[in-house]
Amino acid sequence: MISLNRSIYLSNAGISGSCSPFSGRQRGVVPSAPSSLRVVAVNSNRDLNGSVVMESTLKEMRDATNVIDVDANANDAAAVAGGSHDVYGEDMATEDHFVTPWSLSVASGYSLLRDPHYNKGLAFTDKERDAHYLKGLLPPTVISQDLQVKKMMHIIRQYQVPLQRYMAMMDLQERNEKLFYKLLINHVEEMLPIVYTPTVGEACQKYGSIFSRPQGLYVSLKEKGRILEVLRNWPEKNIQVIVVTDGERILGLGDLGCQGMGIPVGKLALYTALGGVRPSACLPVTIDVGTNNEKLLNDEFYIGLRQRRATGQEYDELLHEFMTAVKQNYGEKVLIQFEDFANHNAFDLLAKYGATHLVFNDDIQGTASVVLAGLVAALKLVGGTLADHTFLFLGAGEAGTGIAELIALEISKQTNMPVDDARKKIWLVDSKGLIVSSRRESLQHFKKPWAHDHEPIKTLLDAVNDIKPTVLIGTSGVGRTFTKEVVEAMASFNEKPVILSLSNPTSQSECTAEEAYTWSQGRAIFASGSPFPPVEYEGKTFIPGQANNAYIFPGFGLGLIMSGTIRVHDDMLLAASEALAAQVSQENFDNGLIYPPFRNIRKISAHIAASVAAKAYELGLATRLPQPKDLVQYAESCMYSPSYRSYR
């Protein structure tokens, strides 16, 4: 019998498999073995897909005959550190000596309990505990995953502070991946505001203080010239989705630098929970080029580079090296989602790499798609077509101009009207007032298409009274800018004014749900970016909708992945919007909702994925052939399941 605390199992290749608890993270490079160690060689072969198939079960390993004895100076009496053998040579080394960070290749026993991909906690069966050396390491009871979910929800609900709930969820994700996703899927409406907006905003602000374990890949200016090497340090090799930020414009909170990592981590958790993309296929990345946030630069707990932001050529070269390295390492079909870049970089990056990479900007394109879906659905409540309405935006950044352009494209598609003419139905107000043609020369390039002929107007209220929009959309990032006077003006010339207060987090929302319903005498069709509770007004309960990007991007990404799409096309965004709008039921409309409830989000994501994939096949951008006959059914079959697997 080989004693596990004096042995290490090594394979001739990394070990993986959905039903076997092998971590697959080691590179197969074996440093010189310390004394008091036995090495057991495990034979393995590769299947047709290149994955490694174990030929021996753990029971067979115990009886393995191909044992290389490297126990040259074994001395059982020479125990250190309270009697345990110093297998790794660490206790015998002084603090000045180097030691080797050894790790087991096979996840079993204590290491299995600390591997989040395979740990099942008290759900390990008696048979599994026998086979994988877990006897005594767990209490004797065996419970179901459903009971584990119930217990965790009980624990999380004890916390009164949302940030504490966020930290509890992140800790669970690091301990037991499948339980984390099972809980998130089963309680999506309750937990979505915890793992994403609005709580993730506070988490990013305090990320340095609450940071315990790295959850993604940090690419800083220090790695310039070596980014491909950095990417290869990530343990998972089959990456399908990368969410990347440089932290300059986190939600409506501004420059949070390296602490913006909470956004890619949160987005990818939703890619898995809501869209069914495998966790191992997701890679969160933060590009650290410094920060201009003086508070963070002076914070002793800040985790990023302590320097002002790099700009110009230095910034461009780092991003280009990153984009090139991603394509080289992961291939043509990896989806790169840009997240929370500042306006001056976001549009340029999307334009620069849209023709060479599979890229998607959620702030520009995802927000636009989900808002367009809400507007299409709202037509059933307010009547008419999109072309019959007039739109006024407060905010002309990534979100505002992105939404405006997609609305114009949809109007053009429905009416065969030139896009330039469709744009004339849409007006934007920025910090200097209404965007008009007399300001064209001083405007940033992405605002110029919205500079229409009109007299200059300085305030939002004056713009509302003059333009008389039927739809008012807030993307300003500035809270309480939809004042009582503005909402009352909208209600004075609209029977059912559509008011979308989209800025995140909740503190930055242009108005609250209660204000919108109260100031419009209960007539507003309202939705917001962050969640608001139901509102009672004159004996009627209004349930505010949430124009959350989480409706779109998980299903959108799944559609790209399952079809092997190589480029994103605007028609795919329109298809996603129409698919989401089609999921709003009559019961939802009766409650004043223009978005379906999140409890059905996996079904919704499957329909969005199917529509996006169908459009990709139609445009000739899909590479996975032939096209499946039933794309909705195929999308559902591709989705990751968080249910526990049985181990041999």
Side-chain angles (χ1 to χ4, degrees):
M1 178 67 71
I2 299 170
S3 173
L4 277 181
N5 70 339
R6 301 183 62 215
S7 304
I8 178 168
Y9 293 98
L10 304 171
S11 74
N12 62 358
I15 302 171
S16 64
S18 60
C19 295
S20 298
F22 302 125
S23 63
R25 286 170 170 67
Q26 285 64 41
R27 298 183 179 277
V29 178
V30 185
S32 56
S35 61
S36 187
L37 177 70
R38 289 187 175 185
V39 180
V40 179
V42 180
N43 293 325
S44 64
N45 291 322
R46 293 189 175 273
D47 63 15
L48 293 177
N49 295 318
S51 61
V52 178
V53 182
M54 288 298 297
E55 291 182 342
S56 304
T57 63
L58 286 174
K59 182 178 185 300
E60 291 167 339
M61 289 178 194
R62 291 202 298 265
D63 301 322
T65 58
N66 49 339
V67 176
I68 305 169
D69 195 343
V70 294
D71 195 1
N73 299 305
N75 185 349
D76 289 351
V80 293
S84 63
H85 295 290
D86 183 17
V87 172
Y88 305 113
E90 184 174 348
D91 294 331
M92 289 186 287
T94 69
E95 291 184 3
D96 296 329
H97 290 160
F98 292 108
V99 297
T100 303
W102 287 81
S103 178
L104 292 175
S105 290
V106 179
S108 63
Y110 199 71
S111 64
L112 176 55
L113 294 178
R114 272 145 186 79
D115 186 330
H117 298 284
Y118 299 109
N119 179 30
K120 299 198 289 187
L122 292 177
F124 281 111
T125 65
D126 286 332
K127 184 178 179 181
E128 289 171 332
R129 297 182 191 199
D130 272 332
H132 297 288
Y133 306 99
L134 296 173
K135 284 292 186 180
L137 300 181
L138 292 166
T141 189
V142 176
I143 65 176
S144 67
Q145 190 179 24
D146 287 338
L147 187 57
Q148 286 180 312
V149 168
K150 182 178 180 180
K151 177 184 175 182
M152 277 306 306
M153 285 303 301
H154 174 75
I155 292 171
I156 288 170
R157 286 167 178 158
Q158 301 305 305
Y159 295 115
Q160 300 301 311
V161 179
L163 185 61
Q164 292 176 327
R165 294 186 176 190
Y166 173 89
M167 292 171 66
M169 285 295 287
M170 292 304 102
D171 181 65
L172 176 61
Q173 188 178 22
E174 290 297 311
R175 288 188 290 108
N176 187 329
E177 186 176 83
K178 282 189 166 61
L179 183 58
F180 169 84
Y181 286 112
K182 185 78 169 179
L183 185 151
L184 185 52
I185 291 168
N186 288 4
H187 298 273
V188 62
E189 291 180 300
E190 182 176 353
M191 300 312 301
L192 189 62
I194 301 300
V195 299
Y196 202 60
T197 56
T199 309
V200 73
E202 183 183 0
C204 287
Q205 289 177 307
K206 300 175 180 177
Y207 209 76
S209 301
I210 66 175
F211 178 85
S212 57
R213 304 179 192 88
Q215 294 177 289
L217 202 62
Y218 294 85
V219 178
S220 76
L221 285 170
K222 290 182 177 181
E223 283 76 56
K224 191 176 180 184
R226 302 176 58 190
I227 293 180
L228 182 60
E229 178 185 334
V230 172
L231 289 176
R232 287 173 175 167
N233 286 339
W234 188 251
E236 304 292 351
K237 305 307 173 191
N238 297 317
I239 300 299
Q240 295 175 319
V241 185
I242 293 173
V243 175
V244 58
T245 186
D246 71 351
E248 189 169 4
R249 193 201 63 83
I250 298 297
L251 301 176
L253 303 171
D255 187 350
L256 298 183
C258 194
Q259 297 189 168
M261 179 59 92
I263 297 296
V265 169
K267 288 278 186 181
L268 287 169
L270 301 187
Y271 258 110
T272 297
L274 313 186
V277 180
R278 290 181 297 106
S280 60
C282 299
L283 173 56
V285 176
T286 291
I287 305 286
D288 186 2
V289 296
T291 179
N292 294 335
N293 187 323
E294 293 292 343
K295 183 178 179 182
L296 290 179
L297 290 173
N298 295 319
D299 184 351
E300 64 178 331
F301 296 130
Y302 180 57
I303 59 175
L305 292 178
R306 294 181 184 274
Q307 66 175 63
R308 307 287 294 180
R309 275 190 174 273
T311 58
Q313 184 177 349
E314 186 178 22
Y315 179 91
D316 293 341
E317 288 176 351
L318 185 73
L319 266 293
H320 188 69
E321 184 187 349
F322 170 74
M323 296 298 290
T324 303
V326 164
K327 196 169 181 179
Q328 183 178 344
N329 203 42
Y330 301 119
E332 184 84 12
K333 292 180 283 189
V334 62
L335 172 60
I336 305 168
Q337 178 169 311
F338 296 120
E339 199 66 48
D340 287 356
F341 284 78
N343 291 340
H344 56 272
N345 289 320
F347 289 99
D348 290 344
L349 288 170
L350 191 59
K352 182 176 181 179
Y353 295 106
T356 59
H357 292 66
L358 183 65
V359 293
F360 171 71
N361 186 304
D362 192 43
D363 304 301
I364 299 172
Q365 298 165 298
T367 301
S369 188
V370 74
V371 173
L372 176 59
L375 294 174
V376 171
L379 295 176
K380 294 187 178 180
L381 295 172
V382 298
T385 66
L386 282 177
D388 296 327
H389 290 269
T390 303
F391 306 86
L392 179 64
F393 286 77
L394 177 62
E398 296 171 54
T401 56
I403 297 165
E405 184 65 16
L406 203 63
I407 293 172
L409 288 172
E410 182 71 4
I411 291 174
S412 176
K413 176 185 171 184
Q414 291 179 358
T415 62
N416 292 320
M417 181 189 301
V419 175
D420 285 343
D421 290 343
R423 289 189 182 116
K424 293 176 182 177
K425 297 181 174 293
I426 304 167
W427 299 82
L428 277 69
V429 173
D430 64 8
S431 59
K432 296 180 181 178
L434 189 68
I435 295 178
V436 293
S437 53
S438 61
R439 294 177 52 195
R440 187 182 299 275
E441 294 305 315
S442 63
L443 291 172
Q444 294 164 287
H445 66 90
F446 55 86
K447 294 183 182 181
K448 289 184 178 181
W450 312 103
H452 307 319
D453 292 333
H454 197 283
E455 291 298 315
I457 295 178
K458 289 293 185 182
T459 70
L460 175 64
L461 179 59
D462 288 341
V464 168
N465 284 321
D466 197 88
I467 302 295
K468 290 185 167 46
T470 54
V471 179
L472 180 63
I473 301 174
T475 61
S476 64
V478 182
R480 305 302 181 265
T481 43
F482 288 175
T483 62
K484 182 179 181 182
E485 291 77 17
V486 167
V487 175
E488 286 179 342
M490 285 291 295
S492 68
F493 47 77
N494 289 299
E495 178 60 30
K496 292 183 177 180
V498 178
I499 298 175
L500 307 182
S501 177
L502 303 178
S503 293
N504 290 314
T506 309
S507 60
Q508 309 304 118
S509 186
E510 284 78 10
C511 70
T512 67
E514 183 176 10
E515 289 167 346
Y517 291 124
T518 302
W519 294 338
S520 66
Q521 294 83 47
R523 291 188 281 117
I525 307 299
F526 177 82
S528 57
S530 289
F532 283 103
V535 175
E536 291 280 345
Y537 179 77
E538 293 188 353
K540 185 176 180 180
T541 300
F542 294 90
I543 304 174
Q546 187 183 356
N548 194 317
N549 291 21
Y551 276 115
I552 289 289
F553 72 81
F556 189 83
L558 178 62
L560 298 177
I561 291 168
M562 75 185 206
S563 59
T565 301
I566 56 173
R567 298 290 180 269
V568 171
H569 192 282
D570 286 338
D571 285 354
M572 298 175 189
L573 298 169
L574 298 178
S577 297
E578 292 163 5
L580 175 57
Q583 294 299 307
V584 186
S585 68
Q586 186 57 50
E587 181 184 354
N588 301 146
F589 287 126
D590 292 343
N591 289 322
L593 287 170
I594 55 176
Y595 292 101
F598 259 110
R599 62 178 175 270
N600 300 326
I601 188 60
R602 279 207 152 196
K603 174 188 171 187
I604 295 166
S605 292
H607 282 273
I608 291 172
S611 294
V612 170
K615 184 59 67 173
Y617 282 109
E618 179 186 324
L619 295 170
L621 294 171
T623 62
R624 289 201 170 93
L625 302 173
Q627 176 180 341
K629 291 182 179 180
D630 188 333
L631 284 169
V632 174
Q633 186 180 48
Y634 182 63
E636 291 173 341
S637 72
C638 290
M639 287 184 167
Y640 163 83
S641 170
S643 299
Y644 289 145
R645 302 295 296 271
S646 297
Y647 300 154
R648 298 185 185 93

